Amino acid sequence: IGNKLLVQDITETDFKAKSRDLDFGLKTNYIFNENHSIGARYEYYRLPYSKADLLFPSKFTIDGEYLQESLSDVITREPRYRHNFNTYNSGKIANWQIDLNLDGVWFDHKQRGETSELISLPEQASRTDYIKTYTHNNSRLYAAKLVLEHPLFGGKVCLGTEYDDTRRTSVSENPKATDGDTKVDERIWAGFLEYKRMFFGKLSLNAGLRYENVQ
């Protein structure tokens, strides 16, 4: 009864890792004139193969007295991919400045783990524990923003809208713990109005209103 100090002593580790990845990107812009341009960007990242092997011996003591020794071998595999996309349009129509941005992100990550642990106890036969774990994370995001700006009463009035759509799922399997499944589904729409003006070149005025709807 009472507090006891448990110490895990790892004297050395052996870590090996190997992976292959692919990174690709493309970007383009087109300028119609000094007041109008459009562009797009796409990036792709792929990790089809990734393997890591971690081997480490441990010695456990409790209040300085020998408890047990173990030899752990942890192997993980983590293939993943990611897509990023963005496009924009910036231009003028009459006295209206119009800016539009669209974004998209897709991500997928899988992780498989295998752990084998050889445990040696005093005056007892050694035993081996074997654990398999699995985690899968998947997410995607869409976002859009439109802003309109126009001169008004010596200043500028700005109105616009934003939209975000996020979906994310996570699955976890571990025989030594409670499995976990998580799902996030979120949509946010916002509208805003702002007026800004400078007075005497030193005093600035900003007034605005923003509305958000979150589901």
Side-chain angles (χ1 to χ4, degrees), residues 68-214:
Q68 70 178 44
E69 291 184 9
S70 67
L71 180 62
S72 300
D73 188 9
V74 182
I75 300 174
T76 59
R77 296 174 178 82
E78 299 187 56
R80 70 186 75 176
Y81 71 82
R82 183 181 66 248
H83 299 268
N84 289 349
F85 175 76
N86 167 264
T87 183
Y88 79 90
N89 188 339
S90 179
K92 274 189 174 182
I93 299 179
N95 289 327
W96 286 96
Q97 173 67 37
I98 303 174
D99 293 298
L100 173 65
N101 278 275
L102 303 174
D103 290 277
V105 179
W106 302 266
F107 176 78
D108 189 273
H109 177 201
K110 297 178 182 178
Q111 183 184 62
R112 298 182 184 275
E114 300 175 10
T115 302
S116 59
E117 185 176 27
L118 177 62
I119 301 175
S120 301
L121 299 169
E123 301 179 357
Q124 295 184 29
S126 300
R127 76 173 193 270
T128 301
D129 288 346
Y130 186 70
I131 303 172
K132 277 189 174 184
T133 60
Y134 174 72
T135 303
H136 185 191
N137 296 311
N138 183 277
S139 63
R140 68 135 178 88
L141 165 68
Y142 301 125
K145 184 175 183 179
L146 174 64
V147 180
L148 308 177
E149 194 174 76
H150 190 278
L152 182 65
F153 303 135
K156 291 183 178 180
V157 62
C158 177
L159 64 152
T161 181
E162 298 177 0
Y163 179 75
D164 293 320
D165 190 330
T166 303
R167 294 185 183 180
R168 182 170 63 252
T169 59
S170 178
V171 177
S172 177
E173 299 175 2
N174 188 336
K176 294 291 186 177
T178 303
D179 294 343
D181 295 346
T182 304
K183 181 179 180 180
V184 176
D185 191 352
E186 183 181 61
R187 285 176 293 277
I188 302 175
W189 176 83
F192 56 89
L193 174 66
E194 182 184 19
Y195 179 75
K196 47 191 175 182
R197 182 179 175 181
M198 290 290 296
F199 294 91
F200 315 114
K202 296 181 179 181
L203 178 66
S204 64
L205 170 69
N206 285 63
L209 179 67
R210 180 181 176 89
Y211 170 81
E212 281 193 1
N213 184 299
V214 181

